Structures are given as structure tokens and as C-alpha cells.
Amino acid sequence: MGGVPSTPRFADSRPQDTAEYLIATFVGEKSFPLASDFWQKLLELPLSLHWPSHRVHQACEAFAQNNCYTRHLAKILIHLTWCLQECISSSGTPSVAIMKAINAVYISSVFLKYLIENAESENFEELHLSLDESEPLPKEFVLDQNIENLVMHSVLSFIALVDVSPHTYNLHQELLNFMLVAMSTQLLSVPSLGPKDVHPFIDAAMTEESSLVCSVVRRLLLNYITRPRISVNSSSYSIFSEENQPGVLQRVGSAAATIVLLPFNYLVSSNGEGSRNPLTDCSLLVLLVLIHYHKCVENDESITDRSDDSATSDSLAKSSTHFTVNPYCNALENARDIEFGHMDLEGNAHSGPVVRLPFASLFDTLGMYLADETAVLLLYSLVQGNSGFLEYVLVRTDLDTLLMPILETLYNASKKTPNQIYMLLIILLILSQDSSFNASIHKMILPSVPWYKEHLLHQTSLGSLLVIILIRTVKYNLSKLRDVYLHTTCLATLANMAPHVHRLSAYASQRLVSLFYMLSRKYNKIADRRDDKKGTLTEQDSFAEDMSAELHIYTDFLRIVLEILNAILTYALPRNPEVVYAILHREEVFQPFKSHPRFNELLENIYTVLDFFNSRLDAQRVDGEWSVEKVLQSIIINCRSWRGDGLKMFTRLYFSYEQESHPEEFFIPYVWQLVLSRCGFSFNPSAINLFPVDLPVKEESNDDGEPNKHQNGELNEQRVNIDP
């Protein structure tokens, strides 16, 4: 049978009934018709193989070689469809159809993944998702659509229509894994999507009717919210059996976990995180893949050329491309709170099906799990795209439920990925666009912040903590990431907050003034480097141009900080004596920039405030030396008489977030990095074109015989390592 593993001894069983024989036959040269009883034997027999890894690899190679004329992948997918249809009709009650469906979807996933990883054609012809014209079909079966459309419709229908229960849990889990495998064709594409990109299964999912799409989105989110679990003992089938017990395709052996690289191990998490919920994790990953996919198609338009004096018109083909509407993204963005009826907050009726969710439960769940990067991306997708959910978040009186885990994650930025930091900062920027948010965060007082180690924060407002963490993030970025976009996002959020600041704490006020000093030092260093090179470099030199561009950027940053201080002094000075004190205490940091043409008008306002309070302090007699308490008390008293005389009014800064014109170039690679780091299966690194990867290196052992670890503590496995 060519590359098919040799048949072992069968003991007392008939060769034709053993799992060894059935799998060998499935990957072999002989083609079995759809109606053959071979398929029933394959799907009904509890498979318990213990093949070594090289035999699993041989089976996959043999299958890839023979599938082109056996079309066994297409056929097992059709059988999977039939099993799922039977399960749906029985509402997921215990039946042999569930076991057959589990077998079918697992076997399909193993060999489909190998074919995708090793595909060389642009449109994945190697999958051979069609039947030969001569293939005999059962009388009751009419194949009136593509097989990928047929199977995706059945998979999505089961996920949407059949509740998760002890009897269906395993099948739900396998189907979600299958979807991730089937949609992994995106890993072979480059980030910039074009009209020639073909992804059979996810493209098929995009063609489903809106009612099914809404049901799928709702089910995946409910899985995330309710986090269904099933104990080992309640598993209906032996798919999760121990190694020494028969299991459903143990299936192409436990070696499948190391060579087929599909280690769907639900009993023990491979990374030791016992709290991880596989069904919940996979539900969210599938949702993120679906909502961030974009399909690029060609758009041919006819235009008429009337430039010819003879008045003849030539029809010219104008070729362009556009992205089709993503129905899953659309469903998420139009989701509504289940607490409301069929009218939204403005009282407008929605036409067509709408996803209805318990926003309260979703809000609480996100708050509990924001330490996970996938939860951050879901929260971003909701507040950026769903105005109803954003409004719900903004009216919650317990904003600390979301903000505290966000701020703690930013506090530990050195342990997080840059993408996670960006997402969190964008979420904060979106929230800061609302004036009620900016006002309410200063009314919430935190008794303590135990995870903040640099300074004891006692009875600090949530708004003050937000200011402190944003400034700390800027400092971290200056020393580590050096990313201009991150700076801009932090400063934009602070600028939106500035007019609404109320009783900013002493520590936050000091950090705000030190932010100007910190950026001014960076500005001066760049200016000195540029001046030192002037004698040796021409103006056209690229280095000089880079220095000038960087200097211009930091000039803008310094101006934004000055505008933040101006906004506080203009609109909220009487409520912020600590800010006045911090400026008085560090007024020397502003002196070098008084004559700078970009800063002088803004600094005039700051010095007007300084002159007012300095004159009051000079006129006031005190017993003994001035102390911090005495100065602050004087400022508080004189704040009452402050009228803002002499201040120039500037246009209030306001920043809003807008997605880039091609968000898919960032989000599709980002989502798949998250998938590969969490889903439980690895992918051939050399086949990935979607994002840069480190090719696996040979594992070495230390003197104790233990595997060496990377610097980040992860075992040096044959897995994809994501570039930060």
C-alpha cells in the first residue's frame, strides 16, 4: 500500500474490523464510494491506535499522495455533515451519531491540517474538495453545493442550534478545533489580502445567512460568558480516555500530538494553567478569527471615455478591488443587550436578526479575564465597533471592574506583548472620548492599590491612578519600545481627560509635571545630537533628516503636555490645588522653553498662574519656615479667589480613535498569533507567511537531562515562536 504503515498482528480480532486496518485503508490507494459500509465501520469503531510518531507521519504522507483520486477527505466531510444533521434533528440527545460525528471531525482535522500545512498551490487544490463525476451517490443525496459550503453550514448549524451538554460537550469542542484547523489556510497568506487569495472554509462561512451568523456569534459569546465545563467522569465517550484505555482515534495514536501536531488534550493543560477552559478558549478564538477576516474581491466597472471628438464612446474596463462585508463582524457590532426589547437605546427598531446578549454578564466576565490577551482583543472589538456596548460600559457605576485589570496589565507592561499594550491603550482612548467617563473616574476612590510598588497609593481616585499609569507607560516606552504611536495614544488620552480632572492626587500631579521634564530631556538629547552632526553632515543626509523628524515629533509631544497642563489650569484649577503645587515646585523645568516659538503662548498661561500664586505666597506671613503643608494650604485658600484673569483661551484638545484604512493587515496576523499560542495545536513554521516566525531549533538537554528553556521560560518545543 505504498507509504501506508504495515499491518500489525491483529490478535483475535478480524483484520477488517480493527482500527489499524481501517485507518490504513482510509489513507490507502483504494477509493471507497460514499455508500460503502467501510465508512460506517470507520466512524462507529472506537479507535485505539498507539502508533509511534514516524508511522503517523507516514499515514499523513500516504493520505496526501492518494487523496487526489480517492477523494476520501471530501467523502469523510460529507459523512460528517450527515452525522451532524442527524445530531441536530435529535437535538443532541445521546446517540451513535454523536460518536460517529466525533470520529469524523477528528480524523478530518488530523489529515486536513497536514494537507493545509504542506499545500503548494495558491487555491489549495491539494485538498480536492470535490467528488469525481463518476462517483456513485446515494439516491437520497443531492450534492448541489461545494463541499466546503456543505460542511461549514452543518458545523455552524450544530454549534448554533445544539446546546452544550454533557452529551454534546466533546463534539462542540472537536468542531471548534476543526474550524480553527480549516480556517488556518490564512497562515499561508501574506498580511495584505488580494482578490486571488482563496480560503475555502472561512470563505464558505462568510456566505451563511444572517440568521445563522447571529446564532453562531451569540453561541460563541455565551460559551465565553458561561464557561461550560464537563468533568472527566461525565464524558460520554472515550475520546478523553487515559492512554492505557481505548479512545476515539487515540487515535492515530498519542503520537498525533507530536507529529500530526494536533494535541487536543482537554484533561490536562500542557502549560499547567488548570483554570483554562478549552471550550471557552476555542469559542473566543473562533469568534476572533471570524470577525476580523476580510475578503478582498475584484470589482469591474465600465467607464465611458468621451474625450474623442468624434463622439464615439469606448467602454473601458476599470479594475479595482474592495472588501466584502463581514457578516460576523456586522453581527457583533449590532449586538444588543438582552435587557432591552426590540428597540435600541434611541428607540429605533432594527430590521433583521440581531444578537441579544446579557451585557451585564459579558461586562463582568471581561473584567475577570482581561489578563488574557484574547479578552483584551474582544473588549477592543466591542467598544470600537458596538456603540450599544460602549454606552453600556460608560453608564456602569463600577468602571473599576474593567479599568483596574487594564491598569494592572499596563503596570506590568514589560511582561506583556507590545500588541496587548496597544490594544489596552486604544481602549482607554476610546473611553476617554466620553466626558462623563472622564468625570466619573475621579469620583471613585480606591482604598489602596496593592500591586503598585513604587509609591503607597492610599485613598487615590481611579482617575489619578489612570494618570499615573499612563505616564508610567510613556516612561517605559521611552526606555524600551520607543514607539511613537504608543506615546501619541497615551498623551491623547491624558489630553481628553485634562479638562475634567478633579482633585488630582499629589503623586499624580508630580508625575504629570515630571512627564514634561522627562520628554524635555529626550528633546534636548536629540537637539544636541543634531547640532553636533551639523558640521559633518549635509542637510540632505538621511541621518540629519531623521534627527529633524524625531525632534519635530518630540516638539509635538511637549506641546501636548503643555496643553494638558493648560486645560487643567483653564477649566479645573480651583479643583486641583495639587497640580498648582507641583508646577510651583518644579517651575524651573519650564524655564528653558519660555522663548520657544511653539511653546511661548502656552507657557505664558503657566507663568500667569505661577505669578498669581507666588505673589500671594510672598505677601503672606508665616510663623517659621514654609512647609509643604503651609504652601498647599495657602494654594487652597487662594484657589477660591482665582478668576483666570490674564489667561489666553486655547481650543480644547480632543482626540478620537479611528481604525486604519486596512485594519486586516494588523488584526489577521495578530489573531492567528493568539490562536497558535492558545489553541493547543502547532503549525509547521516554515509554511507560515502571515507573520514572521522563528524556525524550530533542535532541543538540547542540560547536565541534569532536563530540556533547556528559552529566556522567557518556555520549553524549546517544536512549536511556532511568535516574534514580539
Side-chain angles (χ1 to χ4, degrees):
M1 228 179 259
V4 180
S6 58
T7 304
R9 299 170 185 171
F10 295 110
D12 296 329
S13 60
R14 293 186 303 162
Q16 291 81 1
D17 292 339
T18 63
E20 178 91 20
Y21 173 83
L22 291 170
I23 290 295
T25 303
F26 175 72
V27 303
E29 298 175 353
K30 184 177 179 180
S31 175
F32 287 85
L34 274 172
S36 170
D37 63 353
F38 162 76
W39 298 104
Q40 300 304 315
K41 291 181 179 180
L42 176 66
L43 300 183
E44 289 181 2
L45 182 71
L47 303 175
S48 55
L49 296 182
H50 298 276
W51 284 356
S53 58
H54 71 277
R55 299 190 68 194
V56 178
H57 193 65
Q58 288 177 348
C60 290
E61 287 181 330
F63 183 79
Q65 178 181 344
N66 296 322
N67 182 56
C68 58
Y69 46 86
T70 64
R71 305 297 169 102
H72 278 181
L73 177 62
K75 293 172 184 176
I76 197 170
L77 290 177
I78 292 174
H79 276 277
L80 170 61
T81 298
W82 292 343
C83 292
L84 291 176
Q85 289 171 351
E86 186 177 341
C87 293
I88 294 170
S89 63
S90 63
S91 301
T93 55
S95 67
V96 69
I98 291 181
M99 184 187 72
K100 289 166 59 180
I102 292 173
N103 282 0
V105 70
Y106 186 90
I107 296 171
S108 300
S109 297
V110 170
F111 293 103
L112 174 61
K113 179 181 172 294
Y114 181 86
L115 293 177
I116 291 174
E117 283 182 306
N118 294 277
E120 296 181 356
S121 63
E122 293 183 356
N123 56 357
F124 297 96
E125 293 176 353
E126 293 89 344
L127 303 183
H128 298 287
L129 296 173
S130 62
L131 300 177
D132 286 334
E133 294 181 0
S134 59
E135 177 73 30
L137 299 177
K139 293 181 179 179
E140 67 279 6
F141 177 62
V142 178
L143 187 59
D144 56 355
Q145 57 181 314
N146 294 334
I147 290 176
E148 56 267 33
N149 290 78
L150 182 71
V151 70
M152 288 303 286
H153 178 78
S154 297
V155 170
L156 293 169
S157 296
F158 181 91
I159 291 172
L161 301 177
V162 179
D163 291 335
V164 178
S165 70
H167 302 296
T168 64
Y169 182 97
N170 298 338
L171 182 51
H172 272 281
Q173 179 70 71
E174 290 286 2
L175 290 173
L176 291 169
N177 290 329
F178 170 80
M179 286 192 67
L180 291 174
V181 169
M183 296 187 295
S184 68
T185 54
Q186 294 178 81
L187 288 167
L188 277 65
S189 300
V190 295
S192 299
L193 298 175
K196 294 184 179 179
D197 288 324
V198 175
H199 302 290
F201 294 97
I202 193 168
D203 287 343
M206 294 296 144
T207 64
E208 294 295 339
E209 294 183 358
S210 58
S211 57
L212 179 57
V213 167
C214 287
S215 297
V216 169
V217 171
R218 180 177 180 275
R219 169 60 60 193
L220 295 175
L221 283 170
L222 287 178
N223 286 350
Y224 179 71
I225 293 169
T226 61
R227 316 183 83 76
R229 289 185 179 274
I230 184 170
S231 66
V232 176
N233 294 332
S234 64
S235 180
S236 301
Y237 303 104
S238 55
I239 182 173
F240 303 130
S241 61
E242 300 294 333
E243 274 192 35
N244 59 350
Q245 298 174 351
V248 180
L249 209 125
Q250 173 120 1
R251 263 165 15 178
V252 200
S254 58
T258 55
I259 289 299
V260 182
L261 297 178
L262 206 66
F264 294 146
N265 182 354
Y266 311 129
L267 297 183
V268 182
S269 175
S270 59
N271 58 13
E273 295 182 18
S275 61
R276 293 289 288 271
N277 184 314
L279 185 67
T280 298
D281 292 346
C282 284
S283 295
L284 182 52
L285 291 172
V286 168
L287 178 65
L288 292 174
V289 171
L290 288 171
I291 64 174
H292 288 290
Y293 179 66
H294 282 67
K295 177 65 176 175
C296 183
V297 296
E298 286 186 341
N299 182 32
D300 291 328
E301 298 177 355
S302 291
I303 61 173
T304 302
D305 183 8
R306 299 187 182 277
S307 61
D308 192 284
D309 292 337
S310 64
T312 60
S313 62
D314 297 323
S315 184
L316 303 176
K318 180 185 178 183
S319 179
S320 61
T321 61
H322 70 277
F323 288 102
T324 58
V325 175
N326 182 323
Y328 298 87
C329 179
N330 205 33
L332 184 71
E333 292 179 350
N334 289 305
R336 291 293 176 261
D337 192 354
I338 201 170
E339 294 298 322
F340 291 90
H342 293 282
M343 309 291 282
D344 65 12
L345 295 179
E346 290 78 30
N348 300 318
H350 287 279
S351 59
V354 174
V355 177
R356 300 200 175 276
L357 296 164
F359 278 5
S361 299
L362 181 56
F363 178 94
D364 293 338
T365 303
L366 286 167
M368 291 174 61
Y369 296 97
L370 273 180
D372 186 76
E373 206 165 346
T374 54
V376 173
L377 185 52
L378 176 60
L379 177 59
Y380 163 83
S381 303
L382 286 165
V383 299
Q384 189 277 327
N386 189 312
S387 59
F389 185 78
L390 176 59
E391 290 173 9
Y392 176 83
V393 170
L394 293 171
V395 300
R396 287 279 296 227
T397 57
D398 57 342
L399 279 169
D400 55 317
T401 300
L402 285 184
L403 287 185
M404 289 303 285
I406 289 176
L407 297 181
E408 185 176 1
T409 303
L410 289 175
Y411 177 79
N412 295 305
S414 61
K415 302 174 184 177
K416 307 300 178 182
T417 67
N419 286 345
Q420 186 174 4
I421 297 170
Y422 296 150
M423 289 293 99
L424 291 170
L425 290 175
I426 292 170
I427 290 168
L428 293 176
L429 176 58
I430 292 172
L431 295 176
S432 74
Q433 293 169 197
D434 183 80
S435 58
S436 65
F437 168 84
N438 295 323
S440 62
I441 56 176
H442 290 283
K443 298 175 183 176
M444 183 172 293
I445 304 301
L446 306 170
S448 64
V449 186
W451 46 261
Y452 193 92
K453 304 301 183 183
E454 287 83 350
H455 188 87
L456 179 62
L457 299 179
H458 180 66
Q459 294 296 317
T460 300
S461 71
L462 185 58
S464 293
L465 180 62
L466 178 51
V467 170
I468 292 167
I469 296 298
L470 285 172
I471 294 170
R472 191 178 188 276
T473 305
V474 172
K475 182 179 180 181
Y476 170 74
N477 186 46
L478 272 175
S479 61
K480 300 295 182 182
L481 300 180
R482 298 183 179 89
D483 188 281
V484 171
Y485 179 74
L486 191 150
H487 271 342
T488 304
T489 308
C490 288
L491 295 177
T493 305
L494 288 169
N496 286 347
M497 294 169 57
H500 310 278
V501 167
H502 185 84
R503 295 189 180 279
L504 197 67
S505 71
Y507 184 62
S509 301
Q510 294 164 17
R511 301 310 300 155
L512 192 55
V513 175
S514 71
L515 174 62
F516 182 84
Y517 177 66
M518 184 168 38
L519 292 172
S520 68
R521 290 183 60 190
K522 179 71 174 179
Y523 172 91
N524 290 330
K525 286 181 181 179
I526 298 170
D528 291 342
R529 288 176 63 195
R530 186 194 61 175
D531 294 341
D532 290 343
K533 298 293 183 179
K534 272 188 176 179
T536 58
L537 297 172
T538 64
E539 290 186 3
Q540 287 74 30
D541 190 273
S542 61
F543 181 83
E545 290 178 358
D546 291 343
M547 286 293 100
S548 296
E550 191 173 5
L551 194 65
H552 181 75
I553 289 170
Y554 277 89
T555 302
D556 289 341
F557 288 160
L558 284 170
R559 182 174 175 86
I560 292 175
V561 176
L562 289 176
E563 295 211 42
I564 291 168
L565 292 171
N566 261 269
I568 296 174
L569 298 178
T570 302
Y571 300 104
L573 185 147
R575 305 191 301 271
N576 293 282
E578 293 286 3
V579 176
V580 176
Y581 178 88
I583 294 174
L584 281 170
H585 183 65
R586 299 291 304 276
E587 62 179 286
E588 75 280 357
V589 305
F590 303 105
Q591 186 66 36
F593 298 94
K594 284 186 72 173
S595 59
H596 194 292
R598 291 286 306 279
F599 307 146
N600 55 1
E601 285 188 332
L602 292 165
L603 283 170
E604 282 179 14
N605 274 359
I606 290 177
Y607 275 94
T608 297
V609 173
L610 287 171
D611 293 343
F612 175 86
F613 285 95
N614 277 324
S615 64
R616 299 303 190 274
L617 289 169
D618 292 340
Q620 185 176 343
R621 294 182 179 181
V622 295
D623 297 329
E625 296 291 328
W626 281 101
S627 65
V628 172
E629 291 76 14
K630 291 177 181 178
V631 173
L632 186 59
Q633 187 60 35
S634 175
I635 291 172
I636 292 172
I637 293 171
N638 287 294
C639 276
R640 300 168 187 166
S641 60
W642 169 258
R643 297 292 179 268
D645 297 335
L647 287 186
K648 292 182 179 178
M649 300 296 293
F650 295 95
T651 303
R652 186 184 295 189
L653 279 186
Y654 179 80
F655 294 88
S656 60
Y657 170 74
E658 291 184 7
Q659 274 193 346
E660 298 287 343
S661 57
H662 291 286
E664 73 285 346
E665 294 182 7
F666 169 79
F667 284 105
I668 292 179
Y670 180 36
V671 168
W672 277 102
Q673 289 178 33
L674 295 177
V675 169
L676 290 183
S677 66
R678 285 161 173 78
C679 69
F681 73 84
S682 299
F683 202 87
N684 179 11
S686 61
I688 297 176
N689 297 314
L690 190 60
F691 49 81
V693 297
D694 293 332
L695 294 179
V697 294
K698 198 170 184 179
E699 186 177 284
E700 299 176 358
S701 298
N702 57 27
D703 295 337
D704 298 325
E706 296 293 330
N708 287 331
K709 295 186 177 183
H710 291 302
Q711 290 180 352
N712 62 4
E714 293 180 358
L715 288 177
N716 183 11
E717 298 175 317
Q718 296 287 324
R719 295 182 61 85
V720 173
N721 298 312
I722 309 301
D723 278 350

